[in-house]
Every structure is written in structure tokens, then in C-alpha cells.
Amino acid sequence: MSAARRPLKSLGQNFLVDGNIIDKIIDSAHLVPEDAVLEIGPGRGALTELLVRQAGRLVLVEYDHALAAALKRRYQDDPRITVIDGDILAVDLEAILGDSESRWKVVANLPYNISTAVLFRLLDVRNRLSRMILMLQKEVGDRLVAPPDCPDYGVTTALLGLWFDMRREFLVSPGCFHPSPKVYSAVLSFVPLTVPRAAVGDEAVYRQVVKSAFAMRRKTLINCLKASELAPTEELRRILAECGIDGQRRGETLSLDEFAALSRSLSHM
Ligand code: SAM
């Protein structure tokens, strides 16, 4: 594919140029010929070339019009491949993933500036997915797999962790890309769970509890929850006591099970 135009920083265009890393990413996807694969941001096609050989069906969503056009030309004779010239945050993902009976795999070297937004988008369509292999900025990956009470533990850990088994597969150094980013990257695998890791009652309440617990990291849990207006203060105290959680703790010390217990009680009010 043409490499004439300079990579666009605004679109997070750090193209993979290390064949060994490309192979490792594809291996981690555990592809079989029946697989339907969504690739986000295929760019110049470093991963796509191998996906085409191993997957049964492939949908590519690329925001850069010139690169999308080049991919369309390249794969115009292959009916298994659909190229969508669009923004992954704006396309109708449900419709795309509805177009196959089997569940989908997602493979992507994500543009770092939108990676968290993409993760939340994928969380919403988790029941259409069987496995995801995503390259993220190392720090974002560290947060996803962090244990409670560690500085990296945060909203994404608790929200994505409820529905996915997440594992860091390997680290990738800046020199594996062109142009080289300033930071290290990490490739993570995500396997969706069929039931959530813990019963949370109303999932919207769970999201609210988690977001408020981390909204003010220096404040105590009770103060964070009070600010969230999830329930009157006395009710919050009662629920915390009922769950055996000390309101003077900081939100970041709560395990996923403790967030779930709080959410269950608040959902049943
Ligand atoms: N997959 C290629 C590789 O590994 O060499 C390119 C990866 S590069 C880090 C990110 C790609 O995502 C670029 O091709 C960029 O144009 C594309 N992109 C950026 N924002 C996007 C968006 N909102 N939706 C879809 N693709 C996007």
C-alpha cells in the first residue's frame, strides 16, 4: 500500500513495522478459518494482510479516507472483506456485528487518543464478541489489569473487569512503530464473560458507584458517594455498614466484589 503521505498524528497513526510483533498479535487472536474479525484502524494494513489469510470474514473500519480508499481498492475482489470508511466511535457497531451468526473477534492497534472511548464502545457490544486483542498505550493497559489499592486501579479496571477476563500478553517498544511513539505499548487480550464477575443489580448504578468512588481520589468513599447523590447520606451510611465497608476508606481500595455489593444494595432501594 502507498506510504507516500506522512502519518497523521491527529489520527494516532503509529504504524507497526516490526514483523515479529505483528506475528505475535495475530497468534494471540487464536484465529480459525470460521472467524469473523473486526479490525479497528487497519491503516496501511500491517495486521490486515495476515488477518485476511486466517479469518473467514473481515470488517475493517478506517477513519483516514485515503487509507480506507486504498484498502477498498486492494480488497475489492474479496467478498469476505468489507472496508468501512468511518469513525469507530460513530459507526453502527451493533449492525456491523449483527452481520454474522458467530461471535466476533476484534483485533486492533488502537489510536491512543481514543482508546478508552473505544473500550467503552466495545464493552457495550460484549455479547457479540468472543475475543479481543488490542494494542494500547502501556499505562492504559496497566490500569485495566491493576489490582485494588494500587495507583493504576481505576474506573476502567472496575467497569471492564466486570465483563472481561483481561490479560497483558506482551509489551511493545516504541521502535516497533513508524513513527515511534514516545511511550511503550502493551497488547492485551480480552475474553468476554457470559455472566458478570459479580452480581451488581442495576448496571447503570454500578457504573455510577464506580465513577463516583474514583471521582475524587483523595476523598473518603463516603464523601465521594455523598457528592454523587446516589442516596441520602443516612441511607449511604446504612448501606455501607450493611455491606461491611468502612466509609472512611478511599474508593481505590474497594475490590470489584465490594463495588458490586454496594451497587446491589443501592439498586434495591
Ligand atoms: N493497524 C495499523 C498498524 O498496526 O500499523 C494502524 C494502527 S494506527 C496506531 C491507528 C489507525 O487507526 C490509523 O490507521 C488511523 O487512521 C486509524 N484511526 C484513527 N482514528 C480512528 C477512528 N476514530 N476510527 C477508525 N480508525 C481510526
Side-chain angles (χ1 to χ4, degrees):
M1 197 164 297
S2 162
R5 194 172 36 61
R6 283 162 60 112
L8 296 174
K9 207 172 171 197
S10 60
L11 289 182
Q13 291 183 344
N14 299 103
F15 297 110
L16 267 170
V17 290
D18 184 303
N20 182 37
I21 293 296
I22 293 168
D23 286 344
K24 277 173 79 171
I25 292 174
I26 301 294
D27 287 350
S28 313
H30 303 160
L31 293 169
V32 294
E34 299 77 44
D35 274 335
V37 177
L38 166 69
E39 188 189 357
I40 302 166
R44 294 176 179 166
L47 297 167
T48 322
E49 275 179 42
L50 297 185
L51 292 172
V52 167
R53 286 187 221 150
Q54 297 189 30
R57 165 116 179 80
L58 197 55
V59 171
L60 314 171
V61 180
E62 173 55 61
Y63 196 36
D64 182 316
H65 305 308
L67 293 178
L71 288 161
K72 277 186 187 172
R73 278 195 299 279
R74 183 184 240 197
Y75 296 119
Q76 62 189 350
D77 296 328
D78 193 333
R80 300 173 306 137
I81 303 170
T82 306
V83 181
I84 298 175
D85 179 350
D87 175 355
I88 190 63
L89 298 176
V91 294
D92 185 348
L93 260 190
E94 283 79 2
I96 293 171
L97 303 178
D99 188 28
S100 162
E101 299 214 332
S102 57
R103 294 199 293 157
W104 290 69
K105 289 185 174 167
V106 180
V107 177
N109 167 15
L110 288 176
Y112 293 153
N113 48 343
I114 58 163
S115 60
T116 304
V118 174
L119 285 172
F120 285 122
R121 196 72 194 80
L122 293 167
L123 176 62
D124 287 340
V125 293
R126 60 187 175 256
N127 56 1
R128 296 295 306 133
L129 308 176
S130 64
R131 186 173 178 79
M132 306 201 288
I133 298 296
L134 304 178
M135 170 109 70
L136 301 159
Q137 185 175 332
K138 178 182 172 294
E139 286 70 19
V140 176
D142 286 348
R143 269 181 240 140
L144 288 169
V145 296
D149 208 7
C150 125
D152 287 329
Y153 184 64
V155 173
T156 51
T157 330
L159 296 190
L160 274 294
L162 183 68
W163 282 107
F164 288 100
D165 269 336
M166 298 180 285
R167 206 176 89 128
R168 185 164 90 189
E169 298 289 330
F170 51 91
L171 283 179
V172 184
S173 66
C176 298
F177 303 86
H178 170 76
S180 298
K182 291 199 174 65
V183 292
Y184 267 72
S185 305
V187 171
L188 270 77
S189 58
F190 298 71
V191 179
L193 306 170
T194 42
V195 288
R197 198 174 301 283
V200 298
D202 181 344
E203 209 176 323
V205 172
Y206 178 74
R207 288 188 187 205
Q208 219 183 327
V209 169
V210 169
K211 284 185 180 162
S212 22
F214 288 106
M216 299 177 287
R217 279 198 174 246
R218 284 162 190 277
K219 298 233 159 133
T220 59
L221 178 62
I222 182 72
N223 281 338
C224 290
L225 293 175
K226 274 202 268 189
S228 76
E229 298 181 350
L230 271 158
T233 306
E234 276 322 301
E235 197 58 19
L236 287 171
R237 287 193 208 288
R238 187 189 63 73
I239 285 173
L240 283 166
E242 182 185 287
C243 297
I245 300 169
D246 181 352
Q248 297 307 308
R249 286 167 61 187
R250 311 228 175 259
E252 68 222 50
T253 67
L254 265 67
S255 67
L256 202 146
D257 283 331
E258 288 176 312
F259 280 127
L262 273 181
S263 168
R264 270 197 312 276
S265 297
L266 285 160
S267 303
H268 295 140
M269 275 179 35

